Amino acid sequence: MHPFDSKLVKTAARNSLEKAGAKHKNLVTLHTGAILLLTFALMLMDFLLEQKISTIGGLGGIGTRSTLATIQAVLRLSQLAVVPFWQVGYTYLTLRLSREESAGIGDLFEGFRRWGAVLRLFLLQAALYFGITFVSINISSSIFVMLPWAQPLNELSLSIAAGNELTTEALMAVMQQVALPLTLTTLVVLLPLIAPFYYRYRMSLLFLLDGEQNSALFAMRESQAWMKGHRIALFKLDLRFWWYYALELLVGAVSFLDLGLAALGIQLPWPSAVTTFVCFGLYAAAQLLLHRSLKNYVYVAYAQGYNNLIAQEEDTN
């Protein structure tokens, strides 16, 4: 049977979680709650700094405004520096759960304990996907100029070549016209190019976490070698979990509800900042409920697929 067979991995995931008891739900709640708490704290500090900056005026306040703006920028970036390593810890936790090993809070810090190897893996993958994206943008741009949707852009280029003055309003109008078809063209080119690489290196993080001495290059090489002949099956498993990803998107949309209300011109009887925090509260509650109920089931199933892959390849060898 195929290692990523949906029935096989789903059954194994349910059995592993049943043996883990209620503890696994508490661990995923802690993991998600920590991210939400950090996000809320950063949102609150960003709001307070924005309020403080708006009250400082005059030339004498330039230095203070600059300092506060720098602090604001650092705080906004801090989440990007912390959360990915926290997410790695969750991946390690699901691997241990899938093997019915003792799992605890300490496992969530595995990404920080091995931050060097994890960071190198992130950088290698980022460089790979950046290169593919760069190539895709160049190809899609060359294709787009030959399509009928590029006519406004081509006419603007001819106007500039003829010596006519380019105004900001004209440029913005053309960019609005071509933004959607250009984006769609880029996606049509990008997805077929990036998908094979994505599934080829999909198991890299699990290979990295599966051994204390495993390096980022080793993990990527192993994933590339062991995923041969299994990428389509993993893609099919992703499709089996479409309902979970749809729920994630739906819950994520709640956090942007304030922007949707503003776009529709709906003004609630309180300051917009209150609406933002209320929407975040609704999003946080929905996210905690979704993750506590279903996230472990989905991600432990993927870890079971990895375990099956390792076992099958070892038996074959």
Side-chain angles (χ1 to χ4, degrees), residues 13 26 40 59 96 105 110 115 125 136 168 216 218 271 298:
N26 296 333
F40 175 77
L59 294 175
R96 291 183 64 84
I105 296 174
E110 186 67 15
W115 69 271
Q125 292 182 330
S136 300
T168 304
F218 169 84
V298 174

Side-chain angles (χ1 to χ4, degrees), residues 212-281:
E212 287 289 339
Q213 304 303 319
N214 292 350
S215 66
L217 281 173
F218 169 84
M220 292 189 70
R221 284 197 300 265
E222 291 295 286
S223 181
Q224 179 182 12
W226 291 47
M227 284 301 293
K228 287 181 180 178
H230 303 301
R231 287 174 287 178
I232 298 299
L234 182 54
F235 173 68
K236 290 179 179 179
L237 181 60
D238 286 338
L239 294 180
R240 294 285 186 179
F241 285 126
W242 69 268
W243 50 270
Y244 177 79
Y245 299 118
L247 287 173
E248 283 279 17
L249 289 173
L250 185 61
V251 169
V254 175
S255 64
F256 297 100
L257 187 58
D258 57 329
L259 299 178
L261 293 174
L264 294 173
I266 300 175
Q267 180 64 47
L268 298 177
W270 50 68
S272 59
V274 175
T275 303
T276 299
F277 282 101
V278 168
C279 291
F280 178 78

Side-chain angles (χ1 to χ4, degrees), residues 273-304:
V274 175
T275 303
T276 299
F277 282 101
V278 168
C279 291
F280 178 78
L282 294 173
Y283 159 74
Q287 187 81 300
L288 281 171
L289 179 61
L290 175 63
H291 285 188
R292 184 176 177 84
S293 303
L294 297 170
K295 187 175 183 179
N296 280 346
Y297 168 61
V298 174
Y299 282 82
V300 169
Y302 284 113
Q304 291 288 2

Side-chain angles (χ1 to χ4, degrees), residues 41 81 114 116 129 178 185 197:
R114 301 189 56 192
Y129 295 133
V178 303
T185 304
F197 289 93

Side-chain angles (χ1 to χ4, degrees), residues 59-255:
L59 294 175
I62 291 178
T64 304
R65 289 198 302 272
S66 178
T67 300
L68 292 177
T70 301
I71 295 173
Q72 193 176 34
V74 171
L75 288 174
R76 289 173 178 174
L77 291 173
S78 62
Q79 189 171 16
L80 297 177
V82 172
V83 172
F85 294 94
W86 185 243
Q87 296 285 20
V88 169
Y90 176 73
T91 301
Y92 181 67
L93 174 71
T94 60
L95 182 61
R96 291 183 64 84
L97 287 171
S98 71
R99 294 173 175 176
E100 300 177 11
E101 298 174 350
S102 176
I105 296 174
D107 297 323
L108 294 173
F109 294 90
E110 186 67 15
F112 297 102
R113 282 196 291 265
R114 301 189 56 192
W115 69 271
V118 171
L119 179 60
R120 284 190 288 273
L121 180 61
F122 286 163
L123 292 176
L124 285 171
Q125 292 182 330
L128 173 65
Y129 295 133
F130 176 81
I132 298 171
T133 303
F134 180 78
V135 171
S136 300
I137 290 175
N138 281 278
I139 294 174
S140 60
S141 298
S142 302
I143 295 174
F144 181 73
V145 295
M146 297 184 290
L147 299 176
W149 300 290
Q151 184 177 351
L153 186 61
N154 294 333
E155 290 176 352
L156 181 64
S157 301
L158 291 174
S159 177
I160 295 172
N164 296 326
E165 183 179 355
L166 174 64
T167 63
T168 304
E169 291 77 10
L171 178 61
M172 292 302 296
V174 169
M175 293 307 297
Q176 289 177 356
Q177 287 180 278
V178 303
L180 181 58
L182 179 58
T183 301
L184 292 176
T185 304
T186 303
L187 289 176
V188 168
V189 175
L190 175 63
L191 291 178
L193 289 178
I194 206 169
F197 289 93
Y198 173 72
Y199 283 97
R200 183 176 299 165
Y201 298 111
R202 178 77 171 271
M203 295 290 122
S204 295
L205 182 56
L206 287 170
F207 274 107
L208 178 68
L209 296 173
D210 206 12
E212 287 289 339
Q213 304 303 319
N214 292 350
S215 66
L217 281 173
F218 169 84
M220 292 189 70
R221 284 197 300 265
E222 291 295 286
S223 181
Q224 179 182 12
W226 291 47
M227 284 301 293
K228 287 181 180 178
H230 303 301
R231 287 174 287 178
I232 298 299
L234 182 54
F235 173 68
K236 290 179 179 179
L237 181 60
D238 286 338
L239 294 180
R240 294 285 186 179
F241 285 126
W242 69 268
W243 50 270
Y244 177 79
Y245 299 118
L247 287 173
E248 283 279 17
L249 289 173
L250 185 61
V251 169
V254 175
S255 64

